[in-house]
Amino acid sequence: MRSLISILDFSVEELDKLISTAKDIIVHPENYVEKCRHKKLATLFFEPSTRTRLSFEAAMLELGGDVLGFSDSNSSSAAKGESMADTAAVLSCYADIMAIRHPREGAPYVASNNATIPVINAGDGGHNHPTQTLADILTISREMGRLNDLTVGLCGDLKYGRTVHSLIEAMARYTGVKFVLISPEELKVPGFIRFNVLERYGIPYQEVSSLEDAMPKLDVLYMTRIQRERFDCAETYERLKDSYILDTAKMSQAKEKMCVLHPLPRVNEISVAVDSDPRAAYFRQVLNGKYMRMALILMLLEEAQRDPIRRGVDTSGYLRDRVCTNPKCICQVEQELPQLAKLTDPEANIYRCIYCESKV
Ligand code: NCD
């Protein structure tokens, strides 16, 4: 049985396969309307969402399946103190597959170790958001005709923006991709992306603060919202919130053939006047998200049918004496979880928490 917790759980071949299934769904939707008949998707949303939850629900309904779940953690037993592990075990009795969004980093991973059905990470804190990446890569593929040989600019909150982390992890594995990381000093990409992905695989990247200067070289511009809810200090958010605003003047500096993506919701970072520019792909990206989630549900259910056994985590190579200090990690609130750290950089002897990937 497989789950999707990090986009690194899928190989490039598997990502390409999902893209081709999604493209087939777009052309022949009638072939898919019965594919998940009598199957149920549970959506467990412990954090606000419009697109992701409804997109999962629409995807399952278009496959002929059913959905159940909640979108407010206060209405679930988590409010009574139930652990993620128990919630996952219980939901496995009601549904065939589940999608979880949680403010705690690593929560869907914990669920996947205790569920007997596939688990999909629909966003965990400021960590990862692999299904948004599926929407993003289908959009890039459809808009640009390729996923190789692209200069990808990511702009805004690269520290807390979980969609940014998963997108870098995915795109870094396509050949000829370069990144321009555009952010204020305080919101640069975190270590688990910088060291585990960009440095480790020698991916070309630049870190800059000016969107104007970066504009002319980009094939893809990925704008993001400054993630207010992840800031510890309200003043810092207020100071940084309007760091970048993409407007028609900046668009006039961009290549004629490029595309602008945004995971949405936007707050102020893209002026509404840009919406009518043919390069603005963010609403098409929303629709692509539904097709990719359809392809994902199909793939995970097929895999679960072929191989229904959940593989336990092999913890033999992990250290148990390092303590995770990330206040947003699931291990801070669920006392039963063992502290486990894996060696991610043997040369520098760096260990990271297995739940949230913070350095320990
Ligand atoms: C993103 C998220 O939740 O991380 N939204 C989404 O899923 N489409 C981006 C955001 O909230 O800024």
Side-chain angles (χ1 to χ4, degrees):
M1 196 174 62
R2 307 257 319 258
S3 285
L4 173 59
I5 303 303
S6 154
I7 200 72
L8 296 172
D9 294 339
F10 287 173
S11 66
V12 169
E13 292 70 34
E14 286 171 324
L15 295 178
D16 289 343
K17 171 90 193 349
L18 287 170
I19 290 174
S20 66
T21 306
K23 287 181 177 170
D24 191 60
I25 295 171
I26 293 167
V27 183
H28 300 293
E30 68 284 0
N31 292 348
Y32 292 86
V33 290
E34 292 289 329
K35 289 269 187 204
C36 288
R37 188 62 75 210
H38 307 306
K39 296 282 182 197
K40 290 189 286 276
L41 164 77
T43 55
L44 286 66
F45 277 65
F46 296 89
E47 223 189 27
S49 166
T50 308
R51 259 153 305 276
T52 306
R53 185 172 59 84
L54 295 180
S55 158
F56 267 112
E57 295 193 5
M60 193 54 166
L61 295 175
E62 290 194 23
L63 291 166
D66 296 303
V67 286
L68 66 161
F70 57 83
S71 55
D72 172 8
S73 58
N74 292 322
S75 67
S76 81
S77 279
K80 300 181 191 166
E82 185 170 58
S83 70
M84 197 65 246
D86 285 1
T87 304
V90 168
L91 262 293
S92 299
C93 303
Y94 302 145
D96 300 284
I97 185 165
M98 67 175 110
I100 302 182
R101 169 168 289 191
H102 203 284
R104 290 270 161 194
E105 301 180 5
Y109 173 68
V110 171
S112 71
N113 292 334
N114 293 278
T116 52
I117 60 174
V119 175
I120 300 170
N121 178 1
D124 62 324
H127 185 211
N128 283 331
H129 193 345
T131 67
Q132 179 61 46
T133 300
L134 298 181
D136 303 340
I137 61 175
L138 176 61
T139 307
I140 297 171
S141 165
R142 294 183 77 192
E143 300 288 323
M144 302 303 291
R146 64 185 194 280
L147 284 157
N148 295 320
D149 302 320
L150 292 167
T151 299
V152 180
L154 296 109
C155 176
D157 189 344
L158 311 188
K159 179 178 182 187
Y160 298 118
R162 55 194 174 190
T163 63
V164 166
H165 308 154
S166 296
L167 183 58
I168 292 176
E169 288 178 334
M171 292 299 292
R173 290 180 291 154
Y174 286 88
T175 54
V177 170
K178 296 187 203 130
F179 294 102
V180 183
L181 306 175
I182 309 150
S183 75
E185 188 58 34
E186 290 102 319
L187 298 179
K188 286 178 162 184
V189 290
F192 79 93
I193 294 297
R194 178 189 314 277
F195 299 112
N196 283 10
V197 182
L198 298 169
E199 296 286 343
R200 182 193 284 181
Y201 298 109
I203 312 292
Y205 74 98
Q206 260 182 296
E207 292 185 295
V208 299
S209 58
S210 162
L211 174 58
E212 283 88 339
D213 294 351
M215 232 32 222
K217 39 185 166 204
L218 305 180
D219 299 305
V220 176
L221 171 59
Y222 195 87
M223 292 298 294
T224 61
R225 171 178 75 87
I226 308 294
Q227 306 276 302
R228 179 166 51 89
E229 67 279 28
R230 315 257 178 245
F231 279 74
D232 296 325
C233 163
E235 286 96 74
T236 314
Y237 169 73
E238 286 302 319
R239 181 164 51 79
L240 297 175
K241 69 177 182 190
D242 287 329
S243 297
Y244 300 101
I245 299 178
L246 180 66
D247 54 16
T248 50
K250 292 193 190 79
M251 284 302 285
S252 70
Q253 302 302 307
K255 289 184 184 173
E256 217 170 287
K257 177 78 186 144
M258 61 88 75
C259 59
V260 179
L261 275 65
H262 190 306
L264 302 178
R266 83 174 133 188
V267 182
N268 248 343
E269 56 281 348
I270 302 183
S271 115
V272 174
V274 175
D275 295 0
S276 54
D277 189 307
R279 296 166 292 184
Y282 29 92
F283 292 112
R284 296 190 285 280
Q285 187 182 355
V286 176
L287 189 57
N288 288 329
K290 182 186 70 177
Y291 295 127
M292 280 302 255
R293 290 185 175 99
M294 289 172 79
L296 173 68
I297 291 169
L298 279 174
M299 174 194 166
L300 291 179
L301 286 177
E302 272 164 23
E303 296 244 1
Q305 197 155 12
R306 197 168 41 238
D307 174 19
I309 307 295
R310 169 167 51 90
R311 307 266 169 264
V313 191
D314 176 12
T315 57
S316 52
Y318 295 159
L319 285 192
R320 290 173 177 271
D321 61 350
R322 305 271 173 122
V323 177
C324 174
T325 54
N326 171 8
K328 294 170 180 152
C329 181
I330 184 74
C331 74
Q332 304 295 340
V333 285
E334 301 219 349
Q335 307 303 328
E336 302 290 311
L337 290 174
Q339 293 278 338
L340 291 171
K342 66 180 170 203
L343 185 60
T344 56
D345 184 348
E347 265 164 46
N349 199 32
I350 290 177
Y351 282 83
R352 292 186 182 275
C353 168
I354 62 155
Y355 307 108
C356 69
E357 298 184 86
S358 302
K359 199 165 142 191
V360 290

